[in-house]
Amino acid sequence: MERKELTEKERLEALDNAIAIIRRNLPDYTYKCQQANTDGGIYEAIDNIEWTTGFWPGELWLAYLNTNDEIFAHVAGIFVEDFKKRIETKTAVEHHDMGFLYTPSCVSAWMIKQDCHAREAAIKAADQLISRFQEKGQFLQAWGVLGAKDNYRYIIDCLLNLPLLYWASSETGDPKYREIALKHTRTCISNSFRKDYSSFHTFFMDPETGEPVRGETCQGYKADSSWARGQAWGVYGLALAYRHTGNRDYLDLFEPVSKYFLDKLPEDMIPYWDLIFTSGDEPRDSSSASIVACGFLEAASSFEKLGEYDKAVKYRKLAKQLLKAVYDTCMVKKEEEGINGLVKHGTYSKKSPYNTCTPAGVDECVSWGDYYWMEALTRLGGWKSWW
Ligand code: GLY
């Protein structure tokens, strides 16, 4: 049976829903950020200390672009100052997630409102990110004390932190950011994908020789399974890597990595939290579907520019099928009570007997799930990317 695609009417209805919920949330999250995931359907209001706090301001900028209502830009502007303070005071920035934090909150603000504080903060965040580059192994160390043997690794998620570096080079004219992004991408592509195009979540390098050591997982089910969101970061990350480099190898790799993800989807197209599960009642991760939809739309526009129209049509159609699945089974309706996220059935970190994660946000809304849903809906209508 042919899968249904999100229609334009449904896209507009979904945006209307999302924007109504975001508007209702404004009083709670103007001077406070949203927690990474909801707890029983509600986001705790927290200080700006998580790796995820850029997504809510990103949603505000997307709401602004869709409505031209200055209230969204005003509140997003308050967050620019908060993010500037965070990087200046180096608060909770000893990790690699500067792109997830500063691209949707500050690169966006610079692009939309030419906010100089946003530009300054985002460049400082890029400096912070490149401070984690390890010459031995040529990668950005994800977590922990720099150089520590038990943390001498990168994670596939980092592909989404790299657009901040490409942006910083083009803004400043200094190639150092871009060069590090290129080196990290090469390392990631050499090690993170297996022969069947599934992916390792984390990958250790040898601190003495710089040689690749082994793949492991933190949030996936086990080391040799494929964590759904890791695969999704891989799909979107490769599409973005192609746009920023023009290296055809990345677009060629995007295709089988995408196919692996699609082949593991259950009938309703909402991935289980790890792609080792293809049926049964394990929790889903709807955020992976929206992230992959963004990756497909990104790749579709690259294929279009290359004149490869069949592929452009194919990935645009697949993106709309994934979004229709999220619309049908996960979208929060604006009338719903007791829930203040945009998309249900996300999973942040599910504990398994084999992984090392701290359990959090299983079958809840997750802030990046809300954000990439909004981004995908906006992209479908035509959008200038800040990634
Ligand atoms: N980047 C961490 C996650 O996707 O949960």
Side-chain angles (χ1 to χ4, degrees):
M1 197 182 70
E2 180 73 356
R3 282 166 161 159
K4 288 204 175 117
E5 296 171 40
L6 191 78
T7 64
E8 178 61 8
K9 184 165 170 281
E10 288 164 339
R11 182 184 82 87
L12 294 174
E13 186 202 321
L15 274 172
D16 180 61
N17 250 303
I19 291 164
I21 297 168
I22 290 170
R23 192 184 292 283
R24 209 161 56 213
N25 281 341
L26 286 174
D28 290 333
Y29 314 104
T30 293
Y31 299 102
K32 286 278 187 182
C33 302
Q34 289 188 338
Q35 181 55 287
N37 54 271
T38 57
D39 188 3
I42 303 294
Y43 285 108
E44 184 191 343
I46 60 163
D47 289 336
N48 194 352
I49 52 166
E50 280 289 346
W51 71 271
T52 51
T53 50
F55 295 119
W56 165 246
E59 288 166 53
L60 294 172
W61 285 120
L62 292 168
Y64 175 66
L65 290 176
N66 280 289
T67 59
N68 283 323
D69 186 337
E70 290 294 333
I71 186 68
F72 296 117
H74 175 72
V75 176
I78 293 172
F79 280 107
V80 167
E81 297 309 314
D82 201 36
F83 274 80
K84 182 165 174 284
K85 186 164 131 224
R86 178 167 175 177
I87 195 68
E88 284 170 355
T89 56
K90 300 246 173 123
T91 302
V93 292
E94 300 304 328
H95 57 79
H96 70 151
D97 281 326
M98 297 305 111
F100 280 121
L101 285 168
Y102 283 85
T103 301
S105 64
C106 289
V107 175
S108 51
W110 169 242
M111 279 173 59
I112 297 169
K113 290 284 190 186
Q114 291 73 54
D115 182 326
C116 295
H117 283 184
R119 181 181 181 277
E120 201 185 315
I123 292 170
K124 286 199 168 97
D127 284 320
Q128 178 68 15
L129 178 51
I130 61 170
S131 75
R132 300 191 68 80
F133 185 68
Q134 296 292 4
E135 282 295 339
K136 287 229 168 103
Q138 304 275 291
F139 68 98
L140 291 157
Q141 187 181 322
W143 306 313
V145 176
L146 282 173
K149 199 170 171 171
D150 62 348
N151 249 324
Y152 207 72
R153 62 174 154 177
Y154 68 88
I155 70 174
I156 193 164
D157 321 28
C158 193
L159 289 174
L160 271 289
N161 286 320
L162 304 182
L164 178 69
L165 301 184
Y166 294 116
W167 171 84
S169 273
S170 85
E171 272 305 311
T172 62
D174 188 335
K176 69 181 176 193
Y177 307 98
R178 180 181 173 83
E179 280 160 12
I180 286 178
L182 292 172
K183 287 176 181 169
H184 179 93
T185 304
R186 276 197 287 273
T187 303
C188 176
I189 273 142
S190 308
N191 304 303
S192 293
F193 299 100
R194 308 184 187 103
K195 283 201 168 57
D196 64 357
Y197 301 104
S198 63
S199 54
F200 291 111
H201 177 202
T202 86
F203 206 93
F204 280 90
M205 308 297 281
D206 187 309
E208 264 103 58
T209 64
E211 290 299 309
V213 179
R214 69 182 179 284
E216 277 195 11
T217 199
C218 173
Q219 286 156 279
Y221 181 70
K222 56 186 181 130
D224 62 358
S225 69
S226 213
W227 176 46
R229 201 159 55 258
Q231 193 80 12
W233 295 136
V235 168
Y236 196 6
L238 286 166
L240 289 168
Y242 171 73
R243 173 155 59 78
H244 286 292
T245 64
N247 184 338
R248 180 72 203 214
D249 291 349
Y250 301 157
L251 201 55
D252 289 342
L253 183 58
F254 156 88
E255 294 210 77
V257 170
S258 300
K259 184 173 184 313
Y260 186 90
F261 180 88
L262 291 167
D263 286 349
K264 300 293 171 188
L265 293 180
E267 193 46 45
D268 65 11
M269 289 191 97
I270 304 298
Y272 287 91
W273 67 281
D274 190 294
L275 302 178
I276 200 169
F277 305 111
T278 53
S279 62
D281 54 10
E282 284 287 328
R284 309 298 186 99
D285 178 35
S286 56
S287 74
S288 299
S290 296
I291 294 163
V292 167
C294 289
F296 285 0
L297 293 172
E298 176 68 44
S301 68
S302 292
F303 284 124
E304 201 165 311
K305 287 192 190 106
L306 289 164
E308 297 176 36
Y309 299 114
D310 288 356
K311 287 188 179 174
V313 169
K314 169 182 164 179
Y315 285 105
R316 212 173 156 78
K317 180 175 177 158
L318 283 164
K320 287 191 195 172
Q321 289 176 345
L322 284 166
L323 295 172
K324 172 69 172 158
V326 175
Y327 173 94
D328 280 345
T329 58
C330 308
M331 181 176 82
V332 178
K333 311 259 173 23
K334 60 186 174 190
E335 312 72 41
E336 272 182 73
E337 288 179 8
I339 185 163
N340 69 2
L342 308 183
V343 184
K344 297 176 204 176
H345 307 309
T347 291
Y348 183 2
S349 293
K350 172 135 177 10
K351 192 80 194 109
S352 87
Y354 313 106
N355 72 16
T356 55
C357 75
T358 308
V362 176
D363 197 18
E364 292 281 351
C365 305
V366 290
S367 60
W368 57 91
D370 292 356
Y371 169 81
Y372 287 106
W373 169 240
M374 277 285 282
E375 181 183 307
L377 296 171
T378 308
R379 264 182 181 274
L380 266 179
W383 179 61
K384 188 164 166 25
S385 173
W386 41 65
W387 296 101

